[in-house]
Amino acid sequence: MSACSEIARRVQAGEVERDHFVRGALDRAREADSGDVPLHAFLSLETEEGEAAEGSLAGVPVAVKDNICTRELPTSCGSRILEGYVSPFEATVVRKLRAAGGWVLGKTNMDEFAMGSSTENSGYRPTRNPRDRARVPGGSSGGSAAAVAAGIVPCALGSDTGGSVRQPAAFCGVVGIKPTYGRVSRYGLVAFASSLDQVGSLGATVEDATRLLQAVSGHDPRDATSADRAVPDWAASFGVGVDGLTIGVPAEYFTEELDPAVAEVCREAFDRLREAGARVREVSLPHTRYAVPTYYILAPAEASSNLARYDGVRYGVRAPGAESIDAVYEESRTRGFGAEVVRRIMLGTFALSAGYYDAYYGRAQRVRALIARDFRRVWADGVDVLFTPTSPTPAFRLGERTTDPVAMYLSDIYTVTANLAGIPGISIPIGAVEGLPVGGQFLAPMWDEARMIQAAHALESLTGAVAGGVGDARREGTDA
Ligand code: GLN
Protein backbone atom coordinates (compact mmCIF):
# COMPACT_ATOMS: atom_id res chain seq x y z
CA MET A 1 0.00 0.00 0.00
CA SER A 2 1.25 3.46 -0.78
CA ALA A 3 2.17 5.79 2.06
CA CYS A 4 -0.67 8.14 1.10
CA SER A 5 -3.30 5.41 1.20
CA GLU A 6 -2.01 4.01 4.45
CA ILE A 7 -2.02 7.41 6.13
CA ALA A 8 -5.51 8.19 4.82
CA ARG A 9 -6.79 4.82 5.98
CA ARG A 10 -5.40 5.16 9.49
CA VAL A 11 -6.61 8.74 9.89
CA GLN A 12 -10.11 7.91 8.63
CA ALA A 13 -10.32 4.82 10.81
CA GLY A 14 -9.69 7.12 13.78
CA GLU A 15 -6.58 5.14 14.80
CA VAL A 16 -4.68 8.41 15.19
CA GLU A 17 -5.42 12.12 15.48
CA ARG A 18 -6.16 14.00 12.24
CA ASP A 19 -2.87 15.89 12.43
CA HIS A 20 -0.77 12.92 13.57
CA PHE A 21 1.24 12.46 10.38
CA VAL A 22 1.41 16.20 9.77
CA ARG A 23 3.13 16.69 13.11
CA GLY A 24 5.54 13.88 12.30
CA ALA A 25 6.35 15.57 9.01
CA LEU A 26 6.98 18.91 10.72
CA ASP A 27 9.42 17.23 13.10
CA ARG A 28 11.27 15.60 10.23
CA ALA A 29 11.42 18.83 8.26
CA ARG A 30 12.99 20.63 11.21
CA GLU A 31 15.37 17.75 11.82
CA ALA A 32 16.49 17.84 8.16
CA ASP A 33 17.42 21.51 8.56
CA SER A 34 19.42 21.03 11.73
CA GLY A 35 23.00 19.82 11.61
CA ASP A 36 26.02 20.94 9.62
CA VAL A 37 24.58 20.87 6.12
CA PRO A 38 20.90 21.82 6.28
CA LEU A 39 18.63 20.40 3.57
CA HIS A 40 16.65 23.64 3.04
CA ALA A 41 13.80 21.99 1.20
CA PHE A 42 11.32 24.55 2.54
CA LEU A 43 11.05 28.32 2.28
CA SER A 44 8.21 28.41 4.79
CA LEU A 45 7.19 25.70 7.17
CA GLU A 46 3.70 25.97 8.56
CA THR A 47 0.58 24.03 7.85
CA GLU A 48 -2.76 24.74 6.22
CA GLU A 49 -5.34 22.31 7.41
CA GLY A 50 -7.25 19.88 5.23
CA GLU A 51 -10.82 20.95 4.59
CA ALA A 52 -12.32 17.49 4.86
CA ALA A 53 -11.79 14.73 7.40
CA GLU A 54 -12.50 12.12 4.76
CA GLY A 55 -10.87 11.71 1.37
CA SER A 56 -8.06 10.09 -0.55
CA LEU A 57 -5.51 12.36 1.16
CA ALA A 58 -7.05 12.49 4.65
CA GLY A 59 -4.34 13.62 7.06
CA VAL A 60 -1.59 13.40 4.41
CA PRO A 61 1.06 16.13 4.63
CA VAL A 62 1.74 17.51 1.14
CA ALA A 63 4.63 19.88 0.40
CA VAL A 64 3.73 22.61 -2.10
CA LYS A 65 6.11 24.41 -4.46
CA ASP A 66 6.39 28.10 -3.71
CA ASN A 67 4.95 29.22 -7.07
CA ILE A 68 1.55 27.72 -6.19
CA CYS A 69 -0.71 30.17 -4.37
CA THR A 70 -1.81 29.43 -0.82
CA ARG A 71 -3.92 31.80 1.23
CA GLU A 72 -2.04 31.78 4.51
CA LEU A 73 1.53 30.84 3.66
CA PRO A 74 3.60 33.25 1.54
CA THR A 75 4.14 32.62 -2.18
CA SER A 76 7.52 33.99 -3.24
CA CYS A 77 8.36 31.85 -6.31
CA GLY A 78 11.85 31.71 -4.85
CA SER A 79 12.24 35.37 -5.81
CA ARG A 80 13.23 38.39 -3.77
CA ILE A 81 10.77 40.44 -5.78
CA LEU A 82 7.90 38.57 -4.10
CA GLU A 83 9.45 38.39 -0.65
CA GLY A 84 6.65 38.24 1.94
CA TYR A 85 3.88 38.21 -0.70
CA VAL A 86 0.72 36.44 0.43
CA SER A 87 -1.81 35.67 -2.29
CA PRO A 88 -5.41 36.81 -1.76
CA PHE A 89 -6.63 33.59 -3.41
CA GLU A 90 -5.81 29.91 -3.38
CA ALA A 91 -4.70 27.86 -6.39
CA THR A 92 -7.28 25.34 -7.59
CA VAL A 93 -4.82 22.49 -6.97
CA VAL A 94 -4.45 23.55 -3.33
CA ARG A 95 -8.20 23.88 -2.90
CA LYS A 96 -8.60 20.38 -4.35
CA LEU A 97 -5.90 18.77 -2.26
CA ARG A 98 -7.40 20.25 0.91
CA ALA A 99 -10.86 19.13 -0.18
CA ALA A 100 -9.45 15.58 -0.44
CA GLY A 101 -8.30 15.87 3.19
CA GLY A 102 -4.65 16.73 2.46
CA TRP A 103 -2.76 19.28 4.51
CA VAL A 104 -0.31 21.78 3.06
CA LEU A 105 3.03 21.29 4.76
CA GLY A 106 5.01 24.39 3.96
CA LYS A 107 6.14 25.86 0.66
CA THR A 108 9.16 24.38 -1.02
CA ASN A 109 12.26 26.02 -2.38
CA MET A 110 12.73 26.44 -6.12
CA ASP A 111 14.77 28.16 -8.77
CA GLU A 112 13.54 31.74 -9.04
CA PHE A 113 10.28 31.75 -11.06
CA ALA A 114 11.03 28.08 -11.90
CA MET A 115 13.96 29.04 -14.14
CA GLY A 116 16.70 26.54 -13.55
CA SER A 117 17.63 22.92 -13.12
CA SER A 118 19.38 22.83 -9.74
CA THR A 119 17.49 25.09 -7.27
CA GLU A 120 20.70 27.14 -7.07
CA ASN A 121 18.83 30.01 -8.74
CA SER A 122 16.64 30.40 -5.65
CA GLY A 123 16.78 34.02 -4.49
CA TYR A 124 17.11 32.71 -0.92
CA ARG A 125 19.35 29.66 -0.59
CA PRO A 126 20.09 26.42 -2.41
CA THR A 127 18.46 23.12 -1.48
CA ARG A 128 20.69 20.06 -1.05
CA ASN A 129 20.15 16.58 -2.43
CA PRO A 130 19.19 14.31 0.50
CA ARG A 131 21.06 11.39 -1.11
CA ASP A 132 24.32 13.38 -1.14
CA ARG A 133 24.27 16.81 0.37
CA ALA A 134 27.23 18.00 -1.71
CA ARG A 135 24.99 17.67 -4.76
CA VAL A 136 22.02 19.57 -6.16
CA PRO A 137 18.50 18.12 -5.92
CA GLY A 138 17.79 19.23 -9.50
CA GLY A 139 15.23 21.85 -10.29
CA SER A 140 13.29 23.85 -10.47
CA SER A 141 11.06 21.85 -8.07
CA GLY A 142 14.17 20.87 -6.05
CA GLY A 143 12.60 21.57 -2.66
CA SER A 144 9.59 19.35 -3.41
CA ALA A 145 11.79 16.49 -4.65
CA ALA A 146 14.13 16.79 -1.65
CA ALA A 147 11.20 16.83 0.80
CA VAL A 148 9.90 13.55 -0.66
CA ALA A 149 13.34 11.92 -0.94
CA ALA A 150 14.20 12.83 2.65
CA GLY A 151 11.01 11.07 3.78
CA ILE A 152 9.50 14.28 5.15
CA VAL A 153 6.31 13.93 3.09
CA PRO A 154 5.00 11.07 0.92
CA CYS A 155 4.10 13.43 -1.90
CA ALA A 156 4.49 17.00 -3.08
CA LEU A 157 3.31 19.39 -5.77
CA GLY A 158 5.70 20.90 -8.27
CA SER A 159 5.45 22.57 -11.66
CA ASP A 160 6.97 21.45 -14.94
CA THR A 161 7.61 23.85 -17.83
CA GLY A 162 10.57 22.01 -19.34
CA GLY A 163 11.31 19.21 -16.87
CA SER A 164 11.06 20.81 -13.45
CA VAL A 165 9.15 17.93 -11.88
CA ARG A 166 10.77 15.02 -13.71
CA GLN A 167 14.43 16.06 -13.57
CA PRO A 168 14.54 16.74 -9.78
CA ALA A 169 12.58 13.52 -9.23
CA ALA A 170 15.32 11.69 -11.15
CA PHE A 171 18.14 13.41 -9.24
CA CYS A 172 16.59 12.65 -5.86
CA GLY A 173 15.43 9.10 -6.60
CA VAL A 174 11.67 9.71 -6.40
CA VAL A 175 8.75 9.65 -8.83
CA GLY A 176 7.62 12.76 -10.72
CA ILE A 177 4.65 13.15 -13.09
CA LYS A 178 3.98 15.90 -15.61
CA PRO A 179 0.43 15.40 -16.85
CA THR A 180 -0.96 16.32 -20.27
CA TYR A 181 -1.15 20.08 -20.84
CA GLY A 182 -4.67 21.03 -19.75
CA ARG A 183 -5.19 18.09 -17.38
CA VAL A 184 -4.57 20.17 -14.24
CA SER A 185 -5.71 23.72 -13.59
CA ARG A 186 -3.06 26.42 -13.75
CA TYR A 187 -5.27 28.83 -11.79
CA GLY A 188 -3.05 30.07 -8.98
CA LEU A 189 0.15 28.66 -10.47
CA VAL A 190 2.32 31.73 -10.99
CA ALA A 191 2.96 31.91 -14.74
CA PHE A 192 6.42 31.35 -16.20
CA ALA A 193 5.68 30.20 -19.79
CA SER A 194 1.93 29.74 -20.00
CA SER A 195 1.84 27.46 -23.05
CA LEU A 196 4.25 25.01 -21.39
CA ASP A 197 3.52 25.24 -17.62
CA GLN A 198 1.74 22.35 -15.89
CA VAL A 199 1.39 21.48 -12.22
CA GLY A 200 2.78 18.02 -11.54
CA SER A 201 3.11 15.65 -8.63
CA LEU A 202 6.05 13.99 -6.90
CA GLY A 203 5.86 10.92 -4.71
CA ALA A 204 7.91 8.28 -2.97
CA THR A 205 6.31 5.70 -5.27
CA VAL A 206 4.31 5.67 -8.51
CA GLU A 207 1.18 5.17 -6.42
CA ASP A 208 1.84 8.14 -4.16
CA ALA A 209 2.53 10.49 -7.07
CA THR A 210 -0.53 9.17 -8.92
CA ARG A 211 -2.89 9.53 -5.96
CA LEU A 212 -1.89 13.16 -5.50
CA LEU A 213 -2.24 13.86 -9.23
CA GLN A 214 -5.65 12.20 -9.21
CA ALA A 215 -6.81 14.49 -6.40
CA VAL A 216 -5.79 17.72 -8.18
CA SER A 217 -6.70 16.89 -11.82
CA GLY A 218 -9.78 17.92 -13.74
CA HIS A 219 -11.52 20.77 -15.48
CA ASP A 220 -11.51 24.22 -13.91
CA PRO A 221 -13.62 27.00 -15.41
CA ARG A 222 -11.10 29.47 -13.97
CA ASP A 223 -8.38 28.28 -16.36
CA ALA A 224 -9.29 28.63 -20.03
CA THR A 225 -6.56 26.12 -20.98
CA SER A 226 -7.84 23.42 -18.64
CA ALA A 227 -9.61 20.70 -20.59
CA ASP A 228 -13.21 19.71 -20.04
CA ARG A 229 -12.51 15.99 -20.05
CA ALA A 230 -13.23 13.24 -17.60
CA VAL A 231 -10.26 12.10 -15.54
CA PRO A 232 -9.93 8.30 -15.55
CA ASP A 233 -9.29 6.37 -12.35
CA TRP A 234 -5.54 5.87 -12.65
CA ALA A 235 -5.45 3.35 -9.81
CA ALA A 236 -6.82 0.94 -12.43
CA SER A 237 -3.34 1.03 -14.02
CA PHE A 238 -1.59 -0.41 -10.96
CA GLY A 239 -0.49 -4.01 -11.20
CA VAL A 240 -1.58 -4.44 -14.84
CA GLY A 241 1.96 -5.13 -16.07
CA VAL A 242 3.50 -4.52 -19.49
CA ASP A 243 2.66 -7.77 -21.23
CA GLY A 244 1.72 -6.92 -24.83
CA LEU A 245 2.62 -3.23 -24.53
CA THR A 246 4.71 -1.70 -27.32
CA ILE A 247 7.43 0.48 -25.87
CA GLY A 248 9.38 2.74 -28.22
CA VAL A 249 12.94 3.78 -27.51
CA PRO A 250 13.83 6.96 -29.43
CA ALA A 251 17.33 6.73 -30.91
CA GLU A 252 17.76 10.52 -30.59
CA TYR A 253 17.63 10.30 -26.79
CA PHE A 254 20.76 8.18 -26.66
CA THR A 255 23.18 10.85 -27.78
CA GLU A 256 26.75 11.74 -26.93
CA GLU A 257 25.53 13.98 -24.08
CA LEU A 258 24.26 10.86 -22.31
CA ASP A 259 26.52 9.54 -19.56
CA PRO A 260 27.39 5.94 -20.63
CA ALA A 261 26.70 4.69 -17.12
CA VAL A 262 23.17 6.15 -17.28
CA ALA A 263 22.70 4.57 -20.72
CA GLU A 264 23.68 1.22 -19.21
CA VAL A 265 21.06 1.54 -16.44
CA CYS A 266 18.47 2.31 -19.15
CA ARG A 267 19.48 -0.77 -21.13
CA GLU A 268 18.98 -2.93 -18.06
CA ALA A 269 15.51 -1.43 -17.73
CA PHE A 270 14.64 -2.37 -21.36
CA ASP A 271 15.76 -5.91 -20.64
CA ARG A 272 13.46 -6.10 -17.63
CA LEU A 273 10.55 -4.70 -19.64
CA ARG A 274 11.18 -7.19 -22.42
CA GLU A 275 11.36 -10.09 -19.98
CA ALA A 276 8.02 -8.97 -18.57
CA GLY A 277 6.42 -9.27 -22.01
CA ALA A 278 6.72 -5.81 -23.52
CA ARG A 279 7.72 -5.31 -27.14
CA VAL A 280 10.60 -2.86 -27.03
CA ARG A 281 11.63 -1.29 -30.32
CA GLU A 282 13.73 1.56 -31.54
CA VAL A 283 11.93 4.56 -33.03
CA SER A 284 12.98 7.93 -34.38
CA LEU A 285 11.92 11.43 -33.32
CA PRO A 286 13.96 13.36 -35.89
CA HIS A 287 13.42 16.91 -34.58
CA THR A 288 14.61 16.14 -31.05
CA ARG A 289 17.87 18.02 -31.46
CA TYR A 290 16.02 21.28 -31.99
CA ALA A 291 14.07 20.95 -28.75
CA VAL A 292 16.44 22.78 -26.40
CA PRO A 293 16.99 25.78 -28.70
CA THR A 294 13.25 25.93 -29.43
CA TYR A 295 12.41 25.81 -25.74
CA TYR A 296 14.96 28.52 -24.93
CA ILE A 297 13.30 30.88 -27.42
CA LEU A 298 9.68 30.17 -26.51
CA ALA A 299 9.96 29.89 -22.72
CA PRO A 300 11.92 33.17 -22.30
CA ALA A 301 9.59 34.92 -24.78
CA GLU A 302 6.56 33.99 -22.72
CA ALA A 303 8.41 34.72 -19.48
CA SER A 304 9.39 38.20 -20.59
CA SER A 305 5.73 39.00 -21.07
CA ASN A 306 4.49 37.24 -17.90
CA LEU A 307 7.12 38.88 -15.71
CA ALA A 308 6.25 42.40 -16.86
CA ARG A 309 3.71 42.50 -14.03
CA TYR A 310 6.43 42.71 -11.37
CA ASP A 311 6.73 46.45 -11.43
CA GLY A 312 7.32 47.29 -7.79
CA VAL A 313 3.78 48.63 -7.55
CA ARG A 314 1.34 45.74 -7.51
CA TYR A 315 3.25 42.92 -5.85
CA GLY A 316 6.04 42.32 -3.41
CA VAL A 317 8.99 44.60 -2.88
CA ARG A 318 9.35 48.19 -4.01
CA ALA A 319 12.69 49.99 -4.22
CA PRO A 320 12.67 52.70 -1.53
CA GLY A 321 13.35 56.33 -2.41
CA ALA A 322 12.76 56.09 -6.16
CA GLU A 323 11.96 59.53 -7.51
CA SER A 324 9.85 58.77 -10.57
CA ILE A 325 7.56 56.00 -11.74
CA ASP A 326 10.21 54.79 -14.20
CA ALA A 327 12.72 54.67 -11.38
CA VAL A 328 10.28 52.59 -9.28
CA TYR A 329 10.06 50.03 -12.09
CA GLU A 330 13.72 49.99 -12.88
CA GLU A 331 15.09 49.91 -9.34
CA SER A 332 12.51 47.42 -8.03
CA ARG A 333 13.16 45.03 -10.89
CA THR A 334 16.94 45.43 -10.66
CA ARG A 335 16.89 44.67 -6.94
CA GLY A 336 14.22 42.00 -7.08
CA PHE A 337 15.30 39.75 -9.97
CA GLY A 338 18.30 37.44 -9.96
CA ALA A 339 20.77 36.97 -12.81
CA GLU A 340 19.03 34.04 -14.54
CA VAL A 341 15.65 35.78 -14.56
CA VAL A 342 17.25 38.90 -16.04
CA ARG A 343 18.95 36.75 -18.69
CA ARG A 344 15.60 35.16 -19.65
CA ILE A 345 13.81 38.51 -19.83
CA MET A 346 16.54 39.85 -22.12
CA LEU A 347 16.51 36.74 -24.34
CA GLY A 348 12.73 36.78 -24.53
CA THR A 349 12.43 40.48 -25.23
CA PHE A 350 15.00 40.15 -27.98
CA ALA A 351 13.27 37.15 -29.56
CA LEU A 352 9.98 39.07 -29.64
CA SER A 353 11.33 42.39 -30.87
CA ALA A 354 10.44 43.90 -34.23
CA GLY A 355 12.80 42.65 -36.91
CA TYR A 356 13.68 39.48 -34.99
CA TYR A 357 10.23 38.08 -34.22
CA ASP A 358 9.95 35.99 -37.39
CA ALA A 359 13.51 34.75 -37.29
CA TYR A 360 13.29 33.57 -33.68
CA TYR A 361 9.82 33.35 -32.16
CA GLY A 362 8.01 32.53 -35.40
CA ARG A 363 10.51 29.91 -36.42
CA ALA A 364 10.54 28.33 -32.95
CA GLN A 365 6.75 28.01 -33.10
CA ARG A 366 7.05 26.14 -36.38
CA VAL A 367 9.71 23.80 -35.01
CA ARG A 368 7.50 23.19 -31.99
CA ALA A 369 4.80 21.92 -34.36
CA LEU A 370 7.32 19.53 -35.97
CA ILE A 371 8.37 18.16 -32.58
CA ALA A 372 4.71 17.47 -31.72
CA ARG A 373 4.25 15.81 -35.12
CA ASP A 374 7.23 13.48 -34.49
CA PHE A 375 5.40 12.11 -31.46
CA ARG A 376 2.06 11.77 -33.25
CA ARG A 377 3.74 9.72 -35.99
CA VAL A 378 5.25 7.33 -33.48
CA TRP A 379 1.88 6.78 -31.75
CA ALA A 380 0.21 6.28 -35.13
CA ASP A 381 2.82 3.64 -35.84
CA GLY A 382 1.59 1.52 -32.93
CA VAL A 383 3.81 2.64 -30.08
CA ASP A 384 1.96 2.80 -26.73
CA VAL A 385 4.59 4.60 -24.67
CA LEU A 386 8.16 5.77 -25.10
CA PHE A 387 10.98 5.08 -22.68
CA THR A 388 13.99 7.40 -22.32
CA PRO A 389 16.50 8.57 -19.75
CA THR A 390 15.13 11.53 -17.73
CA SER A 391 18.40 13.48 -17.62
CA PRO A 392 21.80 12.87 -19.25
CA THR A 393 23.65 12.59 -15.93
CA PRO A 394 22.92 11.89 -12.27
CA ALA A 395 22.87 14.82 -9.80
CA PHE A 396 25.85 17.13 -10.19
CA ARG A 397 27.71 19.02 -7.46
CA LEU A 398 26.62 22.42 -6.21
CA GLY A 399 28.44 25.11 -8.18
CA GLU A 400 29.41 22.74 -10.99
CA ARG A 401 27.19 24.34 -13.66
CA THR A 402 26.40 27.78 -12.25
CA THR A 403 28.88 29.59 -14.48
CA ASP A 404 27.82 27.80 -17.67
CA PRO A 405 24.13 28.41 -18.47
CA VAL A 406 24.21 26.19 -21.56
CA ALA A 407 25.53 23.23 -19.55
CA MET A 408 22.67 23.87 -17.11
CA TYR A 409 20.10 24.07 -19.95
CA LEU A 410 21.27 20.72 -21.33
CA SER A 411 20.08 18.95 -18.14
CA ASP A 412 16.63 19.21 -19.74
CA ILE A 413 17.33 17.83 -23.20
CA TYR A 414 15.16 14.76 -22.64
CA THR A 415 12.35 16.51 -20.78
CA VAL A 416 11.54 19.73 -22.72
CA THR A 417 10.08 17.79 -25.67
CA ALA A 418 7.05 16.67 -23.63
CA ASN A 419 6.22 20.26 -22.73
CA LEU A 420 6.63 21.43 -26.31
CA ALA A 421 4.31 18.65 -27.50
CA GLY A 422 1.86 18.90 -24.57
CA ILE A 423 2.18 15.17 -23.79
CA PRO A 424 2.45 13.57 -20.33
CA GLY A 425 5.67 12.19 -18.84
CA ILE A 426 6.71 10.36 -15.70
CA SER A 427 10.16 9.84 -14.21
CA ILE A 428 10.83 6.91 -11.90
CA PRO A 429 14.00 5.67 -10.21
CA ILE A 430 15.46 2.80 -12.26
CA GLY A 431 18.85 2.28 -10.65
CA ALA A 432 21.96 4.06 -9.51
CA VAL A 433 25.40 5.14 -10.68
CA GLU A 434 27.98 5.36 -7.92
CA GLY A 435 25.22 5.54 -5.35
CA LEU A 436 23.38 8.35 -7.15
CA PRO A 437 19.84 7.71 -8.38
CA VAL A 438 19.11 7.42 -12.11
CA GLY A 439 15.67 8.26 -13.48
CA GLY A 440 13.91 6.69 -16.45
CA GLN A 441 11.11 8.49 -18.25
CA PHE A 442 7.95 7.17 -19.88
CA LEU A 443 6.15 9.46 -22.34
CA ALA A 444 2.62 8.84 -23.60
CA PRO A 445 0.12 10.33 -26.06
CA MET A 446 -1.96 13.28 -24.87
CA TRP A 447 -4.57 12.23 -22.27
CA ASP A 448 -3.10 8.73 -21.93
CA GLU A 449 -1.51 9.10 -18.50
CA ALA A 450 -3.10 5.70 -17.74
CA ARG A 451 -0.73 3.84 -20.09
CA MET A 452 2.30 5.65 -18.80
CA ILE A 453 1.37 5.00 -15.16
CA GLN A 454 0.77 1.34 -16.02
CA ALA A 455 4.26 1.01 -17.53
CA ALA A 456 5.93 2.96 -14.72
CA HIS A 457 4.18 0.97 -12.01
CA ALA A 458 5.29 -2.26 -13.68
CA LEU A 459 8.91 -1.14 -14.10
CA GLU A 460 8.98 0.09 -10.51
CA SER A 461 8.11 -3.37 -9.25
CA LEU A 462 10.55 -4.99 -11.69
CA THR A 463 13.55 -2.90 -10.65
CA GLY A 464 12.65 -2.49 -7.00
CA ALA A 465 14.47 0.82 -7.24
CA VAL A 466 11.90 2.64 -5.14
CA ALA A 467 12.73 5.57 -2.93
CA GLY A 468 13.58 4.73 0.62
CA GLY A 469 16.56 4.42 2.81
CA VAL A 470 16.82 8.11 3.51
CA GLY A 471 13.64 8.37 5.49
CA ASP A 472 10.15 7.03 5.68
CA ALA A 473 7.26 9.46 5.44
CA ARG A 474 5.11 7.01 7.36
CA ARG A 475 7.19 7.46 10.50
CA GLU A 476 4.99 8.90 13.15
CA GLY A 477 4.93 12.16 15.07
CA THR A 478 7.18 12.29 18.12
CA ASP A 479 4.56 13.98 20.28
CA ALA A 480 1.68 11.72 19.31
N1 GLN B 1 15.17 23.88 -16.40
C1 GLN B 1 14.24 24.44 -17.34
C2 GLN B 1 14.33 25.94 -17.31
O1 GLN B 1 15.20 26.41 -16.68
C3 GLN B 1 12.85 23.97 -17.01
C4 GLN B 1 12.28 24.63 -15.83
C5 GLN B 1 10.89 24.24 -15.53
O2 GLN B 1 10.40 23.20 -15.97
N2 GLN B 1 10.22 25.11 -14.80
O3 GLN B 1 13.56 26.64 -17.88
Side-chain angles (χ1 to χ4, degrees), residues 65 114-117 139-140 159-164 192 295-296 344 412:
K65 189 176 182 178
M115 297 173 188
S117 309
S140 66
S159 66
D160 192 312
T161 304
S164 279
F192 160 11
Y295 173 85
Y296 278 99
R344 304 277 179 117
D412 301 305

Side-chain angles (χ1 to χ4, degrees), residues 140-356:
S140 66
S141 312
S144 289
V148 175
I152 296 168
V153 285
C155 57
L157 288 177
S159 66
D160 192 312
T161 304
S164 279
V165 163
R166 290 161 288 154
Q167 184 260 16
F171 278 18
C172 291
V174 301
V175 175
I177 308 179
K178 181 202 94 77
T180 307
Y181 184 82
R183 179 65 91 186
V184 177
S185 170
R186 291 186 299 113
Y187 180 78
L189 167 68
V190 178
F192 160 11
S194 312
S195 79
L196 301 159
D197 296 341
Q198 257 318 264
V199 172
S201 64
L202 297 105
T205 60
V206 172
E207 290 199 28
D208 289 302
T210 301
R211 294 203 186 273
L212 175 58
L213 189 67
Q214 188 91 52
V216 301
S217 290
H219 181 237
D220 178 9
R222 287 175 161 153
D223 170 7
T225 64
S226 112
D228 195 358
R229 262 179 176 266
V231 182
D233 177 12
W234 291 315
S237 297
F238 303 156
V240 175
V242 289
D243 196 12
L245 219 57
T246 300
I247 300 179
V249 176
E252 293 81 0
Y253 284 57
F254 291 80
T255 52
E256 59 188 23
E257 291 87 358
L258 181 60
D259 179 339
V262 172
E264 188 47 40
V265 176
C266 290
R267 272 191 285 275
E268 286 163 20
F270 309 149
D271 290 343
R272 298 258 161 76
L273 290 165
R274 240 191 229 110
E275 283 157 23
R279 281 187 295 272
V280 180
R281 69 166 149 100
E282 194 176 294
V283 299
S284 174
L285 298 163
H287 296 90
T288 302
R289 66 195 176 99
Y290 304 114
V292 168
T294 301
Y295 173 85
Y296 278 99
I297 297 292
L298 297 179
E302 293 186 28
S304 69
S305 163
N306 274 325
L307 270 55
R309 62 174 64 108
Y310 305 105
D311 55 7
V313 176
R314 286 171 289 179
Y315 310 92
V317 298
R318 175 180 304 181
E323 287 180 354
S324 66
I325 185 69
D326 286 334
V328 170
Y329 297 158
E330 196 175 316
E331 289 167 31
S332 304
R333 286 169 71 85
T334 303
R335 290 166 65 118
F337 289 143
E340 183 60 28
V341 174
V342 171
R343 175 162 30 239
R344 304 277 179 117
I345 292 171
M346 288 168 70
L347 280 171
T349 310
F350 179 76
L352 290 173
S353 56
Y356 295 98

